Amino acid sequence: MPETLGFSATILRPAYFIDNETMIADMVRKHNVYPMPIGSKCVAMVEACDIAEIAAIELIRRDRASGKLSVETINIVGTDILTGADVAAIWTEVLGRPIAYGGDDPGGFEASMANFIPEWMAYEMRIMAELLRQRRHDPSGGRPRASG
């Protein structure tokens, strides 16, 4: 779409933000369940600071270019490919006690989260979970970049 408007741009498409984990950390600790229905297609989580770093690099690259650059899309993903069960296993290791994976039901997740966060946010998180279940965010495909 930027091409039709006559300007160039870099479109950043980050995968699942690992920063989301801080929002659910208390729930995991209190209920021994990892509730995010991220599924089994695999997610390569990325930190917000990595997205900011990539954005800054791209802004500088475009600013220093000798001419107009074409539109570019960068898929931003982390280096580890994780399923919901994998993330529950990480929480198990970190907390030193069993943490179960809550399953792949985005609707049930939305209903549960609406008890703790605003309904609009629970709805948005359900939509995100549905998209994560449909797509595989694999560092080996496309042109992913993340600092680590």
Side-chain angles (χ1 to χ4, degrees):
M1 181 153 5
E3 305 94 342
T4 60
L5 298 174
F7 63 89
S8 65
T10 300
I11 300 165
L12 303 180
R13 292 192 319 191
Y16 180 86
F17 290 26
I18 198 166
D19 308 77
N20 290 335
E21 299 298 288
T22 59
M23 183 172 36
I24 59 159
D26 285 341
M27 184 178 295
V28 173
R29 287 185 196 105
K30 290 177 185 175
H31 302 287
N32 296 320
V33 173
Y34 178 71
M36 297 296 289
I38 61 175
S40 59
K41 291 229 184 214
C42 300
V43 174
M45 298 179 183
V46 63
E47 289 187 74
C49 62
D50 290 334
I51 298 165
E53 180 180 348
I54 292 166
I57 290 167
E58 281 301 299
L59 285 169
I60 292 167
R61 183 180 73 89
R62 285 188 171 276
D63 182 59
R64 292 181 178 167
S66 60
K68 184 177 176 181
L69 300 175
S70 63
V71 174
E72 183 176 359
T73 299
I74 300 174
N75 296 320
I76 304 173
V77 297
T79 56
D80 295 324
I81 302 171
L82 304 168
T83 65
D86 293 335
V87 179
I90 292 168
W91 277 102
T92 293
E93 184 178 331
V94 168
L95 297 177
R97 63 179 189 269
I99 302 298
Y101 175 51
D104 297 336
D105 178 14
F109 173 72
E110 176 186 6
S112 175
M113 289 302 289
N115 293 315
F116 304 99
I117 62 176
E119 287 183 15
W120 66 266
M121 188 181 291
Y123 170 77
E124 293 292 329
M125 291 182 73
R126 176 181 61 85
I127 297 300
M128 175 192 64
E130 288 173 353
L131 291 171
L132 288 171
R133 290 179 39 164
Q134 294 169 9
R135 297 185 177 100
R136 179 180 166 97
H137 297 98
D138 188 340
S140 64
R143 187 172 167 236
R145 298 189 338 206
S147 62

